[in-house]
Every structure is written in C-alpha cells, then in structure tokens.
Amino acid sequence: EAQVTQNPRYLITVTGKKLTVTCSQNMNHEYMSWYRQDPGLGLRQIYYSMNVEVTDKGDVPEGYKVSRKEKRNFPLILESPSPNQTSLYFCASSLKRGLYEQYFGPGTRLTVT
Amino acid sequence: GESVGLHLPTLSVQEGDNSIINCAYSNSASDYFIWYKQESGKGPQFIIDIRSNMDKRQGQRVTVLLNKTVKHLSLQIEATQPGDSAVYFCAENRDQTGANNLFFGTGTRLTVIP
C-alpha cells in the first residue's frame, strides 16, 4: 500500500531534550516536506526537500533540522525542544518538484512541557 | 499581506444536499490549487486539484471552480453524506520556482446533519 508513515504518533517530552520524528514514504517520491498544524493557523511548512541531500527552509524553520540521506526517509529533528513547538506535525511527499499532489502522513502530536 | 483564507469557518448541511466551500486567495501568480479533506485524527487527504489554466474540474461527486478574476476558489460536494464531515482546506502553490510549496488556508469544518 502506498503510504507515508510517521513515528511516533504521540510524544510527550520536556524542554531541551533532543528528539527525532521519523518520516518514510514507499512511493519513490522525490519531494518531501514537514508541516506543523496549530489551531487557527492551518498548516505551515517547516522544511522541504526536493531530492536526496537537497533541503530548504519553509515558512517556520526556526528550532528544527532535517536531513535527507535516503530518498524514502525525511526525519525532523528538534535539537532543543521548547513549549512553543507543541503542535501536530505532518510529513508529506509528492512525486517530484512542481505541481503535484502531496500525500500526507497520519501526523505526530508533540507536547513539550 | 498575502493569504489563503476561507469565507466561513464552519458549514452545516443536511444529508443529501449539496455543499459549497469557498476559498479566497490573494496571489495572482499562484498557478496550482488543491482541496484537501482532513478527518479527525488523520492527515489531510487529497480531494481534487486545478491548475490556473482551467476554471472548472470535476471529480467523483466534487467539482472545483476557479475564478481568477476575483481570486476565488470553491469546492462543491454533490449529495453530501455523513462521511463528508471533516475539515476542508484549500492550498495554493505560490512558489514559481516549481518547488511545490503549498500554502494552506485555515480550513472550513463541514458538518453533515443526518
């Protein structure tokens, strides 16, 4: 089944404790992206990657890092999480750069205390 | 500033009626638009898309209309069913470099009344 998977689905952590949210897609997509979703603000892009070893900042990149060492994986790294990073996070992928539908993962709900 | 927004945050319709969800955008250079459906506890799911060289596109029970003159996008759902209850987002591709970066509206919650 073609899908985007994220782990963990739920995470509660404390300020300053490094964490990684994994994202994997099995569709051989070139383009991958991370979003955060907050009430009243909709989905905002954090980082995106147009292919292996090619990443770039989205609208709200502060406090986040990403890497794209393999085509299928695009982990989101929070080196020192803070409470304002409490949010619902979605990973998405699409076939390639350009005007293509993005497929979303199921989401990761992160709480930073 | 530029924004992708929705006229109504909530919409309630009777089962069997047609639903119309509206979306306004302000970047006249946007060339690709998508409607997504998000059910509770799930990620956004693609419904239908439209490119700026079109003004109408139909799918199964859904139609998207694009009016570039007034920068308005709408999603019409025919014979709305309880399973259509969800939050609906419009998204626009503003990035002319082809990076496929979408900007999302805040969403409209559709509630279908049995």
Side-chain angles (χ1 to χ4, degrees):
Chain A
E1 180 189 355
Q3 60 183 350
V4 178
T5 57
Q6 296 177 225
N7 282 292
R9 294 291 313 279
Y10 302 90
L11 180 60
I12 300 173
T13 190
V14 296
T15 298
K17 186 176 181 182
K18 181 179 178 180
L19 66 92
T20 299
V21 184
T22 65
C23 173
S24 183
Q25 50 91 7
N26 62 0
M27 296 170 279
N28 201 36
H29 284 172
E30 289 184 1
Y31 181 94
M32 298 185 74
S33 181
W34 276 102
Y35 296 87
R36 60 178 288 174
Q37 187 175 37
D38 302 290
L41 296 176
L43 284 153
R44 294 178 293 167
Q45 191 178 52
I46 303 171
Y47 267 95
Y48 65 94
S49 169
M50 289 195 280
N51 215 323
V52 176
E53 302 291 2
V54 181
T55 63
D56 211 342
K57 297 177 180 179
D59 294 322
V60 289
E62 293 77 21
Y64 305 95
K65 286 174 57 177
V66 293
S67 69
R68 188 89 182 275
K69 294 184 171 61
E70 305 165 279
K71 198 172 188 178
R72 64 183 294 130
N73 296 322
F74 189 45
L76 178 70
I77 303 155
L78 284 72
E79 294 272 3
S80 183
S82 62
N84 65 12
Q85 292 178 299
T86 292
S87 188
L88 180 58
Y89 291 87
F90 289 100
C91 180
S93 72
S94 67
L95 184 61
K96 57 177 70 174
R97 61 181 290 177
L99 308 183
Y100 291 92
E101 167 194 352
Q102 290 191 30
Y103 295 80
F104 283 81
T108 294
R109 185 166 292 282
L110 172 65
T111 301
V112 184
T113 62
Chain B
E2 296 179 346
S3 66
V4 176
L6 295 164
H7 293 310
L8 296 171
T10 61
L11 177 66
S12 296
V13 298
Q14 287 291 140
E15 181 178 356
D17 287 352
N18 295 338
S19 303
I20 299 176
I21 301 171
N22 296 304
C23 181
Y25 66 96
S26 56
N27 188 338
S28 57
S30 294
D31 55 5
Y32 180 56
F33 304 87
I34 305 180
W35 280 101
Y36 282 93
K37 172 186 180 182
Q38 187 176 20
E39 297 175 277
S40 181
K42 297 184 179 179
Q45 178 185 7
F46 173 89
I47 302 173
I48 192 167
D49 60 1
I50 188 166
R51 299 178 194 271
S52 59
N53 61 353
M54 305 170 69
D55 53 21
K56 181 179 180 178
R57 189 155 190 238
Q58 288 182 288
Q60 186 177 9
R61 283 200 308 118
V62 294
T63 300
V64 56
L65 299 177
L66 175 62
N67 185 331
K68 294 180 286 294
T69 302
V70 295
K71 300 192 198 68
H72 184 266
L73 193 68
S74 69
L75 176 70
Q76 300 179 6
I77 304 174
E78 182 183 328
T80 314
Q81 302 168 0
D84 294 327
S85 292
V87 176
Y88 290 81
F89 296 93
C90 65
E92 63 176 317
N93 180 65
R94 296 180 184 172
D95 192 325
Q96 301 309 301
T97 67
N100 201 25
N101 295 342
L102 295 176
F103 290 81
F104 288 80
T106 53
T108 291
R109 181 174 298 281
L110 174 66
T111 300
V112 181
I113 304 165

